[in-house]
Amino acid sequence: MKPSERLSKLPPYLFADLDRQKAAVRSLGKKVIDLSIGDPDLEPPVALVDALKTELSRKGVHRYPSYAGSVEFRNACAKWLLSRHGAKVDGEKEVLALIGTKEGIGHMILGMIDPGDVVLVPSPGYPMYIQATALAGGTAHLMPVTKETNFLPEFDAIPKGALKKAKLMFLNYPNNPTSAVATRECFEKAIALAKEHGFLVCHDAAYIEISSGTTRPPSILSLPDAKDAAVEFHSFSKTFCACGWRLGFVAGNSEALRALGHIKENMDSGVFTAIQRAMIYAMEELEGHIAGLCSIYASRRQSFSKNLERMGFRVFHSDASFYIWAELPEKQGSIEFCKKLLERTAVAATPGIGFGRYGEGYVRFSLTVPTEELEEAATMMAKL
Ligand SMILES: Cc1ncc(COP(=O)(O)O)c(C=O)c1O
């Protein structure tokens, strides 16, 4: 049996190697402190789990959900966007429920590009943008994001040819892996460019709620003309420590949402109604949980960053996301460094090159393990 040609277009998956290395260390009976995965160790609020339990026994919730998400859920998302981010959208026409943002991103690419089209993607960046582009037959054009520009793209450096063929541009702030936060000017430029060249900006805001800064990271939808050329992906995975629930939403340009909705009608059957209903409750009643969560990540960041700096890493300072992006102390390959780290200390971190060519020379540490384990990791690493 031969799988599709399409699969052979996928770039090599570096994280599979890391998984194998972790398994090998565990097989020696060692405990791996895993700072390589963005999956929160913290639990969702108890009241949210209780709300889901209540919803599970409600009559009718076990039937097929609506494809787009219930009107109540979409209106709650619109209210959330307005109150938290100053972004005005129509819940019925400009919001779609997603089975997590990963699903929405993959299907948006499928709904918007044809073979040969270009997708502008940040490098380093969330690998999904390139993988889904490859599966849809498109070409990814890398936009380097480097420390010189605070990890924001240099739009002026994008070649005219790539702009001409571009159908989509991905931005992601607060950023995975760099933890950088966008400026409004960055979004303004992206929208102006998108309008000029007729492409759609897809802003992945999966970490927008994870910030301990004095001002909230901006939403692209808070710009007055954003809906002409942009959509924004929001996730409940990190906000409510509910990665396994698989719920997110996308809001913005209604034409793009129609294309995505069309793909989804043919590919999936929506999000479990009980989960949508419980998350309406979270948006309406549990906003207060977010500040507590962010202060836990902030204190973990502060102490682990200090330890890394003591070891000679150059840490990019941020108060958003739950990642630390650190430049390696000496010129060395990030894969080799992470392999050595894992073998000698049983601490797993992600090599920067796993996020694309321009991530080389860096390592990403995820703050999603208990504080004691972070301290243990720092002690082990100091002996490296
Ligand atoms: C940048 C980014 N976007 C999207 C996702 C996917 O999140 P979700 O759980 O909503 O599918 C992740 C997950 O880690 C991510 O890092």
Side-chain angles (χ1 to χ4, degrees):
M1 209 184 293
K2 187 174 176 295
S4 73
E5 269 302 307
R6 199 173 302 113
L7 283 183
S8 67
K9 304 274 188 314
L10 281 174
Y13 187 60
L14 289 179
F15 299 116
D17 256 351
L18 186 61
D19 287 345
R20 272 191 290 275
Q21 289 164 18
K22 283 189 275 188
V25 173
R26 285 190 184 110
S27 74
L28 301 174
K30 291 191 197 166
K31 181 185 96 176
V32 171
I33 300 182
D34 197 349
L35 310 184
S36 69
I37 301 178
D39 189 5
D41 59 310
L42 304 163
E43 293 292 315
V46 173
L48 175 56
V49 175
D50 287 345
L52 180 58
K53 286 182 193 160
T54 306
E55 291 302 334
L56 284 173
S57 34
R58 204 183 287 278
K59 226 171 161 214
V61 293
H62 298 282
R63 309 190 71 177
Y64 281 118
S66 87
Y67 289 112
S70 72
V71 173
E72 294 78 17
F73 173 74
R74 286 180 285 142
N75 282 337
C77 294
K79 234 170 114 182
W80 175 265
L81 280 182
L82 183 62
S83 71
R84 280 190 71 83
H85 303 291
K88 251 189 224 163
V89 295
D90 178 328
E92 294 195 31
K93 296 195 192 94
E94 295 171 337
V95 178
L96 272 187
L98 300 174
I99 312 168
T101 48
K102 186 172 184 181
E103 173 269 309
I105 289 166
H107 283 150
M108 180 63 94
I109 292 173
L110 201 57
M112 292 299 289
I113 74 162
D114 287 309
D117 285 341
V118 164
V119 178
L120 303 166
V121 299
S123 174
Y126 181 49
M128 171 76 191
Y129 312 136
I130 293 185
Q131 287 152 356
T133 299
L135 285 177
T139 305
H141 176 87
L142 303 186
M143 300 184 291
V145 287
T146 61
K147 63 179 173 188
E148 283 74 26
T149 56
N150 282 329
F151 300 103
L152 302 179
E154 279 189 274
F155 297 118
D156 297 339
I158 305 171
K160 288 269 172 311
L163 285 171
K164 224 165 126 189
K165 286 192 188 164
K167 289 290 288 290
L168 299 175
M169 171 191 277
F170 275 90
L171 296 177
N172 162 224
Y173 294 100
N175 184 261
N176 175 14
T178 66
S179 74
V181 174
T183 56
R184 284 182 74 79
E185 296 72 50
C186 165
F187 287 153
E188 274 160 11
K189 275 193 192 166
I191 289 171
L193 209 57
K195 282 179 158 179
E196 185 186 340
H197 295 278
F199 60 78
L200 176 77
V201 179
C202 292
H203 180 228
D204 177 354
Y207 298 89
I208 198 165
E209 313 299 351
I210 309 299
S211 164
S212 54
T214 42
T215 51
R216 242 171 234 163
S219 153
I220 202 168
L221 295 177
S222 66
L223 270 64
D225 57 347
K227 287 191 291 187
D228 295 345
V231 295
E232 187 164 79
F233 293 87
H234 287 254
S235 172
F236 294 103
S237 295
K238 327 285 173 172
T239 312
F240 289 104
C241 308
C243 294
W245 290 34
R246 312 310 303 134
L247 181 62
F249 68 92
V250 56
N253 184 277
S254 56
E255 236 177 294
L257 259 52
R258 260 198 304 281
L260 170 59
H262 206 162
I263 292 278
K264 283 175 63 58
E265 279 160 19
N266 288 282
M267 294 292 235
D268 66 62
S269 297
V271 180
F272 185 23
T273 304
I275 287 180
Q276 291 184 53
R277 290 179 64 99
M279 213 50 93
I280 296 174
Y281 169 76
M283 283 188 271
E284 289 175 351
E285 305 294 337
L286 302 178
E287 199 177 339
H289 136 95
I290 301 172
L293 182 73
C294 294
S295 78
I296 294 175
Y297 290 133
S299 93
R300 288 179 181 179
R301 177 184 296 281
Q302 207 189 14
S303 79
F304 200 65
S305 293
K306 264 196 202 135
N307 283 322
L308 287 175
E309 282 173 337
R310 255 183 239 128
M311 292 175 226
F313 286 89
R314 273 186 295 275
V315 169
F316 175 67
H317 289 279
S318 166
D319 37 34
S321 86
F322 46 54
Y323 299 116
I324 293 181
W325 187 237
E327 200 173 350
L328 287 163
E330 295 144 34
K331 246 200 162 1
Q332 56 187 312
S334 57
I335 292 184
E336 293 72 33
F337 173 82
C338 289
K339 192 161 181 273
K340 185 172 74 181
L341 182 70
L342 183 61
E343 285 171 358
R344 298 196 190 160
T345 69
V347 173
T350 317
I353 200 167
F355 300 98
R357 182 152 37 108
Y358 294 93
E360 185 51 310
Y362 286 82
V363 178
R364 190 196 73 175
F365 296 94
S366 177
L367 299 164
T368 50
V369 300
T371 309
E372 312 77 68
E373 283 194 28
L374 274 176
E375 279 160 17
E376 213 181 308
T379 310
M380 300 295 293
M381 285 174 68
K383 295 182 197 151
L384 190 69

